[in-house]
Amino acid sequence: MRVTVDMTVCESHGQCVFAAPDVFAFDDEDHLVYETAPPAALAGDVRTGALMCPARAVTITEERA
Ligand code: SF4
């Protein structure tokens, strides 16, 4: 799984951080930071975060094993 966030539309709502705190976080200046290649065990959380994002800023790309 690859994760991309379109920072031009992200409004720092934080729903992704709430859903997948091991993947998404805010830095000291409240900018979103995230793992681009999270482990498979976190895939469900990442999908939930993407669905919850009100700005639809999170894109998930599945990779072939
Ligand atoms: S939920 Fe969406 S808008 Fe909010 S911080 Fe995450 S990516 Fe950005």
Side-chain angles (χ1 to χ4, degrees), residues 31-55:
H31 294 134
L32 184 69
V33 291
Y34 60 100
E35 261 195 69
T36 56
L42 297 176
D45 289 351
V46 173
R47 286 195 191 93
T48 301
L51 286 172
M52 290 174 72
C53 174

Side-chain angles (χ1 to χ4, degrees), residues 5 9-17 26 32 49 52-55 57-58:
V5 176
V9 298
C10 171
E11 295 168 345
S12 299
H13 293 294
Q15 276 86 340
C16 60
V17 178
F26 289 119
L32 184 69
M52 290 174 72
C53 174
V58 182

